[in-house]
Amino acid sequence: DLLKLAITSDGAFVYKQISPIGRKRVICKLEQDGGGMWSATDGVHRWKLLTAAVSFFKGNPEDEVIILIPGDAPSKWAAVENIISK
């Protein structure tokens, strides 16, 4: 996303979203490795996921996960939009 940074008089950083980038929605399978790290895979690609996002949706391995990825650039990370429990 395109962000604008404003630095306040007390030195705090405030970011404002100017415009979002194009996103692509992908349905994947939720996986967890031996170290507890979560990922989503469509069988060809694999994206890393934040543990907090998977926990929020109460995800379990093998659940269906809907992720958002950049529409025009490769990415190693994805945002969790929803998890559908199996």
Side-chain angles (χ1 to χ4, degrees):
D1 294 347
L2 185 60
L3 302 176
K4 177 181 177 181
L5 170 63
I7 303 172
T8 63
S9 59
D10 64 352
F13 286 22
V14 178
Y15 292 93
K16 180 179 178 183
Q17 182 185 27
I18 302 301
S19 65
I21 63 166
R23 293 180 171 89
K24 188 164 56 171
R25 186 173 279 114
V26 182
I27 300 172
C28 297
K29 182 175 78 169
L30 187 61
E31 296 183 342
Q32 187 176 31
D33 68 13
M37 300 300 295
W38 290 96
S39 62
T41 184
D42 64 357
V44 178
H45 302 94
R46 182 177 311 279
W47 296 274
K48 297 177 185 181
L49 304 173
L50 291 176
T51 301
V54 176
S55 296
F56 177 80
F57 289 104
K58 298 177 178 58
N60 294 302
E62 303 298 319
D63 284 349
E64 192 172 81
V65 59
I66 296 123
I67 60 170
L68 297 174
I69 58 173
D72 59 353
S75 176
K76 293 182 181 183
W77 288 87
V80 176
E81 183 175 61
N82 202 353
I83 294 177
I84 301 165
S85 298
K86 293 270 176 171

